[in-house]
């Protein structure tokens, strides 16, 4: 009986020693200068923001991997480029048309919108709350074991908050902005007004900011810049054809007025000869021959034009 008591006492002593060592042990993890940290406990974040340096995340529990984890988040801002192109340049198998549609004629238009975000100021109450919400909304990934002082470290890319929470709404609203213009020409007119409330880029910034506010997003938008605005070739051809037709009509009106101003009819006679010369040259390019019969010259007191 005495022997059993000694064995029990030894077991208790060993348990105390081991537990004491476990509780006394330190489990530091590094927070780089360009990052801040949050500790994720088994029941959620502890509500604190940790500056660069080292932080003790505590020991693991009796169950495997049951313990605190350090979540690292960048200090600096980040940029997102939303592309609206015919095929996704990052996906060779993508054959969908992702371009924006403009106006009632539904003209397709390629477009890039660059969104620049700043990280919240975690030293202020509103910024701290935003950072903690990013920890909940984001999608942290496990860091490499040789980084930041060991395992049980997660790295949260701030851009993942955008992709998880508001990307689809932002893209939808950008499409609405494009559709609100009468035509691609109207879009280019708005691009020329950038820097004013009527500017294309300014309207994009206001629209994206509204989406973030409506979704109570913790992201802080600095600016939105529209670039690489490019209509479909068919739209460009239609615009060019319309402009060419307008110029041709204007030229014809000037020629008509010029000919009618001459009461002698000599200008009309010369113009007809010039047109016949041009038609003859055109047929001659293909090796053909032509014959013209002039029955309505109608020039009184006309002066013969020498032919070289």
């Amino acid at each position: 009986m005495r022997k059993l008591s000694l064995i029990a006492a030894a077991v208790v002593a060993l348990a105390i020693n081991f537990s004491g060592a476990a509780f006394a042990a330190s489990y530091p993890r590094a927070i780089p200068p360009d990052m801040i940290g949050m500790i994720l406990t088994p029941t959620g974040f502890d509500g604190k923001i940790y500056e660069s340096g080292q932080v003790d995340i505590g020991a693991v529990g009796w169950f495997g991997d049951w313990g605190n984890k350090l979540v690292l988040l960048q200090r600096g801002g980040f940029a997102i480029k939303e592309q609206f192109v015919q095929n996704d340049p990052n996906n060779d198998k993508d054959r969908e048309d992702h371009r924006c549609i403009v106006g009632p004629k539904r003209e397709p238009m390629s477009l890039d919108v660059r969104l620049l975000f700043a990280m919240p100021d975690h030293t202020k109450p509103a910024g701290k709350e935003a950072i903690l919400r990013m920890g909940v909304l984001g999608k942290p990934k496990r860091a490499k074991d040789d980084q930041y002082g060991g395992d049980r470290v997660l790295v949260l890319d701030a851009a993942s908050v955008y992709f998880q929470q508001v990307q689809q709404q932002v893209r939808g609203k950008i499409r609405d902005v494009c559709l609100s213009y009468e035509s691609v020409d109207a879009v280019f007119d708005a691009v020329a007004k950038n820097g004013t409330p009527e500017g294309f880029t300014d309207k994009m910034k206001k629209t994206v900011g509204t989406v973030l506010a409506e979704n109570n997003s913790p992201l802080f938008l600095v600016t939105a810049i529209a670039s690489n605005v490019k209509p479909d070739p068919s739209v460009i051809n239609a615009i060019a054809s319309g402009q060419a037709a307008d110029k041709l009509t204007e030229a014809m009106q000037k020629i008509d007025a010029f000919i009618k101003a001459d009461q002698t009819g000599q200008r009309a006679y010369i113009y007809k000869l010039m047109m016949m010369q041009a038609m003859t040259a055109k047929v001659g390019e293909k090796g053909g021959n032509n014959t013209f019969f002039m029955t309505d010259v109608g020039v009184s007191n006309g002066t013969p034009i020498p032919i070289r």
Side-chain angles (χ1 to χ4, degrees):
M1 190 72 177
R2 179 181 177 81
K3 188 175 183 179
L4 290 175
S5 298
L6 291 174
I7 293 174
V11 170
V12 171
L14 287 172
I16 293 175
N17 287 335
F18 278 116
S19 62
F23 282 112
S26 178
Y27 294 86
R29 295 294 182 269
I31 303 177
D34 60 341
M35 289 186 170
I36 55 177
M38 299 175 287
I39 290 184
L40 178 63
T41 72
T43 58
F45 287 99
D46 67 356
K48 298 179 181 180
I49 306 296
Y50 296 87
E51 298 284 354
S52 58
Q54 288 190 335
V55 59
D56 186 1
I57 63 174
V60 295
W62 293 103
F63 301 100
D65 203 31
W66 181 263
N68 299 337
K69 291 181 175 61
L70 175 64
V71 179
L72 297 175
L73 180 63
Q74 66 206 60
R75 284 179 180 268
F78 62 96
I80 299 291
K81 183 172 75 170
E82 290 292 1
Q83 287 187 299
F84 297 85
V85 294
Q86 189 164 7
N87 298 320
D88 185 354
N90 299 319
N91 185 359
D92 295 336
K93 298 181 180 180
D94 183 18
R95 295 295 181 268
E96 295 184 14
D97 193 341
H98 303 282
R99 292 176 295 181
C100 282
I101 301 300
V102 180
K105 295 182 180 179
R106 307 193 67 80
E107 299 171 342
M109 181 182 72
S110 299
L111 171 70
D112 289 345
V113 180
R114 296 181 181 273
L115 307 174
L116 179 61
F117 294 95
M119 295 298 293
D121 184 358
H122 65 278
T123 61
K124 298 180 179 179
K128 178 181 178 181
E129 181 182 354
I131 291 291
L132 293 173
R133 289 195 67 240
M134 292 179 73
V136 175
L137 296 172
K139 193 175 182 180
K141 297 181 179 180
R142 179 177 176 179
K144 296 180 180 179
D145 291 342
D146 58 347
Q147 290 180 321
Y148 312 118
D151 59 352
R152 295 164 58 201
V153 177
L154 303 176
V155 178
L156 174 59
D157 183 3
S160 69
V161 178
Y162 171 83
F163 295 124
Q164 291 287 113
Q165 189 189 22
V166 295
Q167 183 186 31
Q168 294 306 316
Q169 294 93 318
V170 168
R171 289 184 65 87
K173 290 298 183 180
I174 290 175
R175 292 185 183 278
D176 290 344
V177 171
C178 294
L179 193 60
S180 67
Y181 286 93
E182 185 67 21
S183 64
V184 173
D185 275 344
V187 172
F188 281 110
D189 290 341
V191 170
K193 297 178 182 177
N194 282 345
T196 69
E198 293 79 22
F200 186 62
T201 286
D202 302 86
K203 195 169 184 178
M204 287 292 178
K205 179 180 178 180
K206 182 178 179 180
T207 299
V208 175
T210 300
V211 173
L212 298 178
E214 290 176 349
N215 288 272
N216 194 25
S217 175
L219 301 175
F220 284 65
L221 180 67
V222 177
T223 190
I225 302 174
S227 61
N228 296 330
V229 180
K230 183 179 179 181
D232 185 77
S234 63
V235 178
I236 297 177
N237 293 336
I239 294 173
S241 298
Q243 292 175 344
D246 292 340
K247 292 295 183 181
L248 179 59
T249 301
E250 181 181 351
M252 291 174 63
Q253 291 173 347
K254 289 183 178 179
I255 292 173
D256 185 60
F258 176 76
I259 292 174
K260 289 180 178 178
D262 178 24
Q263 300 298 325
T264 66
Q266 290 187 8
R267 292 179 182 178
Y269 179 63
I270 294 172
Y271 182 72
K272 287 180 180 180
L273 290 178
M274 291 174 62
M275 290 298 101
M276 286 190 291
Q277 183 183 23
M279 288 186 286
T280 302
K282 193 66 176 179
V283 174
E285 291 177 359
K286 300 180 180 180
N289 297 315
N290 52 23
T291 303
F292 294 96
F293 296 92
M294 300 178 64
T295 61
D296 59 343
V297 176
V299 180
S300 59
N301 300 324
T303 302
I305 299 177
I307 299 177
R308 295 180 180 178

